[in-house]
C-alpha cells in the first residue's frame, strides 16, 4: 500500500515537476509568474491528441506505438513552444518595463483567451486519447508499477537531466544563467537578452507540452480546463522548491506529488488538494525562500 | 503604433504565423481565414496609419486632457451627475440592467477592499476571495441557522472576515512580494476546500439555500430596485470610508510601507501593526461584499469563491489603476459590464474579454486611471 502510493505519487510528482520547471525558469529570468503556463500545458495535451488522431487517420498500425507516441510528443512540444514564444512576444515583452502587476494581468488575459480558444475550437467536453497504453505492469515490493508509470518516470528524468545539462554545459544555458542573475549586465556583455527569454519560454513550454501528453495518456482524457488546476499545482511546486531554482522545481514537484498521494491515501482524499497548500504555507513561513532557494535574499526581491 | 507592421508584408507574416499556430485546433479552412483576417486587418491598420493618425491621436489626447481638467474643475458637478444617474437608474432600466448594476456595485465594494491591501499597502494578495466567501457563509449560516436578520449578519460577516484576515496576517508578516502572493493563494484554496468538504456545517458542494433577503422595518428588499439601492448605499459608504482613511495618518502609513518598508520602519511606523490593520480591514470589506452577495443570491456555494474570482478582482484593481479610487471603481465596472455587453457574441465573449485584457495592459500598463503617486514604485530598474 505504502509503496504503491509512493509510486503513484512519484508519477504524478514528476509531471508536476515538468510543468513547474517552466514557471521557475521564466520567473528566474524575468520575475514573472506566468499564469498562462497551465494553458500552454493544456495546449500541448490537445496538440498531442490531434497528432495522434492524425497518425491513426494516416493508418499507422498500433504496433508502431512507440513511434507514434514519439511523434506526438514532438508535435505537442513544437506547437506549445510556438505558443509560448508567441505569448511572450505579444503579451509580455511590451510590458517588461511596466509596473510589476501589469504583466500578471496580461498573463491572466492570455490564460482566459487560450482556454476559450481551445473550448471553441475543440468543444467543451472531454476528448479521449486515441491510443491505449499496454496496461501490464511489474510487481515491485508488493505494489504494481505499470509500464506507463515507468515510461512517465523515465521520460521525466531524462528530460530533467537533459535540461540540467543544457543549462550547465551549453552557451545558451550559460547565457540564461547570466540573464537570470543580472539582465542589464548580461545585455552589456553581448548576450541577446530577447533571444534568451524567447528560448526560455520555448523550453518551458516544451516541457509543459510533454507533461500534457503524459498526463493525457495517463488519464486517457483531456479537457480545455485542465490547465488551471495543473498550473496552480505546478506553481505551488515551483515555490515549494524555491522559485527561480531549477533543481528546486524538480524537488518541489516530486514532493508535492508524494504529499498528495500519501495524504489522499492516509488522511483524507477530499482534502488532498489542501495538504499541498498547507505544507506550502508552512514551508514558506519557516523558510520563505523555499526549500532550495538561495538564502541571500535574492529570492525575496520584489 | 510602436511595434511591428512597418511594411504590410509583416502583417502577412504574422497572419501566416497565427494560422500555423491555430491550424492544429481549427483545421485548414479556418486557419486560412484567420491568416487573411490578420493580414488584411493589419494592412487596414497600416493604411489607416497613413492618415495623419499621430495628429489625430494628439488631438484626441488634447481633447481628453482638457476634458480631464474641465472634469477636475467641475469634479463636484460631475460627481453629482454620476450620482444622479445611479440614483435614477431603476426608474428607467429593466431588471436585467438593474441586476448587472447591482453585481457591478458588489464588485466595486470587493475591489475597493482589495485595493486597500494591494494598491494602498502594496501587499500582493491572491486569496482575497477567501474573505468574500467567509463573509457570504457567515451571513448564510446565521440566516438559515438562527434566522438572524441581515443587519446582524452584515457586521458579523465583516467581523468574521476580519478575524480570518488577522489569522492569515500574523504568519505572513515576514513574507514579501510573490511569496506573500502564493501563501495568500494557498489560503484562498484551503478556505474553498474547507467550504466544499465540511459537509456538516457548509453543506458541501451543494451550498446553502434559502438565505433571507434583507428587510428594513417590515419592508423586505426583494425587488431588484430596492436591493440595488441598498448595495448602492453600501458601496458609497465603502468608497467614502476608503477616501477618508487613505487621507488619514493610517492611509499615509500604508503608502509609506508600500513605497519603502525599511524607510517606513525607520521613521517609526509600526509596520507589523499597519500591515495587520490593512489585512483585517481589507478582509472586513470583502466580508461586507460577501454578505451582500449571499443576500442577493439567497444561495451560496463554494464554486462562487474560486481562485479565478480572486484574480478577476485583482484585475479590476490593476486595470483601473492601482491606488486610485476612481480607477478601481472604473475597473470593477469595466470588468463586470464588458462581458455583459459582449453577450451578443455569446460564444466569443470570453475570448474577446481575454484579448481585451492583454491589449489594455500592453497599451496602458499603468491602468485606465493610473495614480500619480504610484508612477514610481513597482517598477524595476530600467534596462539600458
Amino acid at each position: 500500500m505504502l509503496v504503491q502510493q509512493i509510486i503513484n505519487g512519484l508519477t504524478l510528482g514528476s509531471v508536476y515537476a515538468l510543468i513547474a520547471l517552466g514557471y521557475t525558469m521564466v520567473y528566474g529570468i524575468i520575475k514573472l509568474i506566468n499564469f498562462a503556463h497551465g494553458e500552454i500545458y493544456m495546449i500541448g495535451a490537445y496538440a498531442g491528441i490531434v497528432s495522434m488522431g492524425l497518425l491513426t487517420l494516416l493508418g499507422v498500425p498500433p504496433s508502431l506505438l512507440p513511434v507514434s507516441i514519439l511523434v506526438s510528443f514532438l508535435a505537442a512540444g513544437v506547437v506549445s513552444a510556438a505558443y509560448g514564444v508567441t505569448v511572450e512576444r505579444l503579451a509580455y515583452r511590451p510590458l517588461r518595463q511596466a509596473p510589476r502587476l501589469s504583466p500578471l494581468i496580461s498573463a491572466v488575459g492570455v490564460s482566459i483567451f487560450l482556454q476559450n480558444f481551445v473550448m471553441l475550437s475543440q468543444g467543451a467536453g472531454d476528448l479521449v486519447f486515441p491510443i491505449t497504453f499496454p496496461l501490464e505492469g511489474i510487481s515491485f515490493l508488493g505494489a504494481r508499477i505499470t509500464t506507463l508509470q515507468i515510461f512517465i518516470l523515465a521520460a521525466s528524468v531524462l528530460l530533467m537531466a537533459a535540461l540540467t545539462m543544457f543549462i550547465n554545459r551549453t552557451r545558451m544555458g550559460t547565457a540564461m544563467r547570466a540573464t537570470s542573475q543580472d539582465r542589464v549586465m548580461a545585455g552589456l556583455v553581448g548576450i541577446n537578452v530577447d533571444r534568451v527569454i524567447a528560448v526560455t519560454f520555448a523550453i518551458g513550454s516544451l516541457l509543459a507540452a510533454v507533461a500534457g501528453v503524459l498526463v493525457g495518456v495517463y488519464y486517457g482524457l483531456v479537457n480545455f480546463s485542465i490547465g488551471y488546476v495543473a498550473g496552480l499545482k505546478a506553481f505551488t511546486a515551483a515555490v515549494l522548491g524555491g522559485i527561480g531554482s531549477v533543481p528546486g522545481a524538480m524537488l518541489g514537484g516530486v514532493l508535492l506529488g508524494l504529499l498528495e498521494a500519501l495524504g489522499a491515501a492516509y488522511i483524507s482524499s477530499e482534502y488532498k488538494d489542501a495538504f499541498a497548500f498547507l505544507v506550502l504555507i508552512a514551508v514558506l513561513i519557516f523558510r520563505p525562500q523555499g526549500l532550495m532557494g538561495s538564502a541571500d535574499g535574492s529570492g525575496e526581491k520584489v | 503604433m510602436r511595434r511591428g507592421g512597418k511594411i504590410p508584408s509583416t502583417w502577412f507574416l504574422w497572419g501566416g504565423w497565427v494560422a500555423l499556430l491555430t491550424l492544429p485546433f481549427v483545421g485548414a479552412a479556418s486557419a486560412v481565414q484567420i491568416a487573411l483576417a490578420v493580414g488584411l486587418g493589419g494592412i487596414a491598420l497600416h493604411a489607416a496609419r497613413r492618415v495623419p493618425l499621430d495628429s489625430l491621436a494628439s488631438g484626441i489626447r488634447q481633447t481628453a486632457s482638457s476634458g480631464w481638467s474641465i472634469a477636475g474643475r467641475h469634479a463636484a458637478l460631475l460627481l453629482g451627475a454620476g450620482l444622479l444617474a445611479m440614483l435614477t437608474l431603476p426608474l428607467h432600466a429593466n431588471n436585467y440592467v438593474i441586476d448587472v448594476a447591482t453585481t457591478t456595485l458588489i464588485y466595486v465594494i470587493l475591489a475597493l477592499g482589495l485595493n486597500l491591501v494591494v494598491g494602498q499597502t502594496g501587499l500582493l494578495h491572491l486569496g482575497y476571495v477567501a474573505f468574500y466567501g467567509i463573509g457570504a457563509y457567515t451571513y448564510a449560516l446565521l440566516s438559515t441557522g438562527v434566522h438572524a436578520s441581515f443587519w446582524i449578519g452584515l457586521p458579523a460577516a465583516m467581523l468574521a472576515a476580519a478575524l480570518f484576515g488577522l489569522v492569515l496576517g500574523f504568519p505572513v508578516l515576514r513574507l514579501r512580494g510573490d511569496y506573500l502572493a502564493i501563501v495568500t493563494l494557498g489560503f484562498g484554496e484551503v478556505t474553498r476546500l474547507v467550504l466544499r468538504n465540511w459537509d456538516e456545517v457548509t453543506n458541501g458542494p451543494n451550498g446553502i439555500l434559502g438565505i433571507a433577503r434583507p428587510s428594513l422595518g417590515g419592508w423586505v428588499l426583494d425587488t431588484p430596485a430596492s436591493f440595488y439601492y441598498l448595495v448602492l448605499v453600501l458601496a458609497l459608504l465603502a468608497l467614502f470610508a476608503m477616501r477618508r482613511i487613505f487621507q488619514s495618518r493610517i492611509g499615509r502609513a500604508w503608502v509609506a510601507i508600500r513605497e519603502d518598508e525599511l524607510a517606513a520602519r525607520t521613521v517609526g511606523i509600526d509596520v507589523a501593526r499597519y500591515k495587520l490593520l490593512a489585512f483585517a480591514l481589507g478582509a472586513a470589506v470583502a466580508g461586507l461584499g460577501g454578505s451582500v452577495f449571499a443576500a442577493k443570491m439567497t444561495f451560496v456555494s463554494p464554486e462562487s469563491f474560486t481562485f479565478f474570482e480572486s484574480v478577476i478582482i485583482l484585475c479590476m484593481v490593476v486595470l483601473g489603476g492601482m491606488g486610485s479610487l476612481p480607477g478601481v471603481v472604473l475597473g470593477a465596472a469595466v470588468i463586470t459590464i464588458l462581458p455583459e455587453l459582449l453577450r451578443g457574441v455569446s460564444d466569443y465573449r470570453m475570448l474577446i474579454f481575454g484579448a481585451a485584457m492583454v491589449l489594455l495592459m500592453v497599451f496602458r500598463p499603468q491602468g485606465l486611471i493610473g495614480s500619480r503617486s504610484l508612477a514610481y514604485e513597482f517598477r524595476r530598474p530600467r534596462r539600458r
Side-chain angles (χ1 to χ4, degrees):
Chain A
M1 176 70 174
L2 177 68
V3 180
Q4 184 69 60
Q5 292 307 332
I6 288 178
I7 291 172
N8 294 349
L10 280 177
T11 314
L12 194 64
S14 58
V15 172
Y16 286 155
L18 285 180
I19 312 173
L21 283 169
Y23 277 108
T24 224
M25 286 166 68
V26 165
Y27 188 89
I29 286 195
I30 56 173
K31 302 283 174 283
L32 163 74
I33 302 174
N34 181 9
F35 266 117
H37 192 58
E39 264 45 71
I40 298 288
Y41 151 88
M42 179 269 295
I43 294 260
Y46 270 86
I49 275 209
V50 169
S51 61
M52 279 183 192
L54 268 181
L55 288 173
T56 323
L57 265 181
L58 291 173
V60 176
S63 57
L64 280 176
L65 185 72
V67 178
S68 56
I69 286 186
L70 205 66
V71 169
S72 52
F73 273 128
L74 275 176
V78 169
V79 170
S80 277
Y83 269 89
V85 172
T86 311
V87 165
E88 190 273 326
R89 178 72 185 80
L90 293 179
Y92 303 152
R93 196 182 292 181
L95 288 170
R96 257 184 232 159
Q97 313 296 335
R100 235 181 82 73
L101 282 177
S102 303
L104 205 72
I105 303 306
S106 181
V108 173
V110 170
S111 171
I112 294 175
F113 180 87
L114 289 180
Q115 259 195 42
N116 282 277
F117 166 65
V118 173
M119 186 190 78
L120 289 171
S121 58
Q122 296 287 308
D126 292 340
L127 284 192
V128 181
F129 249 78
I131 62 151
T132 42
F133 222 79
L135 265 180
E136 74 262 22
I138 48 171
S139 284
F140 177 74
L141 291 177
R144 216 170 67 92
I145 176 164
T146 63
T147 6
L148 183 55
Q149 285 179 322
I150 295 175
F151 179 69
I152 291 178
L153 284 170
S156 313
V157 170
L158 208 71
L159 278 172
M160 287 184 219
L163 179 70
T164 311
M165 291 280 282
F166 177 82
I167 290 175
N168 290 324
R169 298 282 166 83
T170 63
R171 257 183 104 74
M172 187 42 105
T174 314
M176 279 167 71
R177 280 181 289 139
T179 309
S180 79
Q181 278 172 13
D182 190 329
R183 205 197 307 161
V184 180
M185 223 18 237
L188 285 177
V189 298
I191 291 170
N192 184 344
V193 174
D194 281 344
R195 195 156 88 215
V196 170
I197 293 173
V199 169
T200 308
F201 270 87
I203 295 176
S205 307
L206 189 132
L207 295 174
V210 172
V213 180
L214 287 174
V215 169
V217 178
Y218 192 51
Y219 291 120
L221 291 174
V222 292
N223 185 277
F224 74 95
S225 60
I226 57 169
Y228 165 68
V229 176
L232 211 57
K233 294 273 178 64
F235 179 44
T236 308
V239 179
L240 188 61
I243 194 152
S245 147
V246 169
M250 300 174 185
L251 178 74
V254 171
L255 269 182
L256 194 72
L258 283 174
L259 267 172
E260 265 192 48
L262 295 177
Y266 292 105
I267 307 177
S268 146
S269 62
E270 286 160 344
Y271 283 103
K272 89 176 158 87
D273 290 344
F275 299 133
F277 289 113
L278 287 174
V279 168
L280 175 82
I281 293 175
V283 167
L284 284 187
I285 286 168
F286 293 109
R287 201 178 150 75
Q289 69 273 34
L291 292 174
M292 296 188 74
S294 50
D296 62 354
S298 65
E300 262 197 303
K301 266 187 219 149
V302 175
Chain B
M1 223 157 278
R2 295 165 288 132
R3 303 170 302 114
K6 280 226 173 61
I7 29 170
S9 63
T10 322
W11 284 103
F12 275 106
L13 282 180
W14 271 111
W17 179 243
V18 173
L20 267 181
L21 283 182
T22 51
L23 180 67
F25 295 94
V26 297
S30 306
V32 170
Q33 283 174 9
I34 290 172
L36 283 176
V38 172
L40 293 177
I43 287 186
L45 264 180
H46 190 78
R49 198 171 303 160
R50 300 258 152 156
V51 182
L53 205 68
D54 280 348
S55 62
L56 194 73
S58 71
I60 291 173
R61 216 169 294 136
Q62 264 172 19
T63 321
S65 69
S66 64
W68 274 122
S69 65
I70 291 170
R73 257 177 275 135
H74 301 277
L77 202 70
L78 208 72
L79 204 70
L83 252 179
L84 197 71
M86 285 198 286
L87 277 175
T88 55
L89 180 87
L91 300 180
H92 52 78
N94 59 25
N95 281 349
Y96 166 70
V97 173
I98 298 174
D99 193 64
V100 172
T102 311
T103 308
T104 307
L105 287 172
I106 294 179
Y107 276 115
V108 166
I109 295 175
L110 292 169
L112 282 172
L114 184 62
N115 178 56
L116 191 161
V117 184
V118 180
Q120 187 78 5
T121 322
L123 305 166
L124 181 50
H125 196 328
L126 289 181
Y128 190 64
V129 80
F131 307 120
Y132 179 37
I134 288 166
Y137 268 83
T138 305
Y139 174 53
L141 290 172
L142 282 176
S143 169
T144 55
V146 296
H147 302 288
S149 91
F150 180 72
W151 306 108
I152 294 174
L154 179 102
M158 290 178 73
L159 201 66
L163 277 178
F164 276 96
L166 287 178
V167 167
L168 173 66
F170 269 115
V172 301
L173 275 175
R174 290 195 314 135
L175 301 175
R176 262 183 294 168
D178 297 313
Y179 292 93
L180 178 69
I182 183 77
V183 170
T184 50
L185 186 162
F187 178 80
E189 283 296 293
V190 171
T191 305
R192 186 177 61 85
L193 287 164
V194 170
L195 291 180
R196 203 175 73 185
N197 291 317
W198 196 10
D199 289 343
E200 304 81 49
V201 174
T202 64
N203 198 23
N206 299 327
I208 298 174
L209 277 162
I211 301 161
R213 286 189 168 272
S215 56
L216 268 177
W219 177 41
V220 182
L221 304 176
D222 53 1
T223 63
S226 59
F227 198 79
Y228 167 80
Y229 281 121
L230 169 73
V231 183
L232 182 62
V233 169
L234 289 174
L236 287 175
L237 274 177
L239 191 64
F240 180 71
M242 289 293 164
R243 221 181 115 80
R244 297 288 296 172
I245 203 166
F246 286 179
Q247 287 168 352
S248 74
R249 196 185 174 80
I250 300 171
R252 292 198 306 272
W254 283 333
V255 173
I257 293 171
R258 178 188 76 196
E259 300 288 334
D260 191 331
E261 198 176 317
L262 192 65
R265 203 186 299 272
T266 318
V267 297
I269 293 172
D270 186 345
V271 172
R273 207 178 116 220
Y274 281 104
K275 275 190 179 178
L276 282 176
L277 189 64
F279 265 114
L281 275 180
V285 176
L288 166 73
S291 61
V292 174
F293 174 78
K296 173 177 184 288
M297 308 302 289
T298 68
F299 163 71
V300 289
S301 89
E303 291 323 299
S304 306
F305 310 106
T306 58
F307 171 58
F308 185 72
E309 197 74 10
S310 281
V311 169
I312 286 295
I313 301 171
L314 181 67
C315 287
M316 294 170 179
V317 175
V318 179
L319 200 71
M322 279 203 297
S324 139
L325 288 177
V328 170
V329 174
L330 188 67
V334 167
I335 291 204
T336 323
I337 296 172
L338 188 64
E340 298 296 332
L341 291 181
L342 290 172
R343 269 193 198 280
V345 285
S346 54
D347 282 351
Y348 295 94
R349 71 189 182 113
M350 289 315 279
L351 194 77
I352 298 172
F353 180 64
M357 271 169 75
V358 176
L359 287 175
L360 260 170
M361 279 298 113
V362 168
F363 290 107
R364 250 196 105 67
Q366 71 275 44
L368 293 170
I369 307 178
S371 128
R372 247 327 110 71
S373 68
L374 234 101
Y376 178 89
E377 40 89 69
F378 281 123
R379 180 172 290 178
R380 279 164 260 137
R382 277 193 177 276
R383 203 156 57 90
R384 265 173 234 138

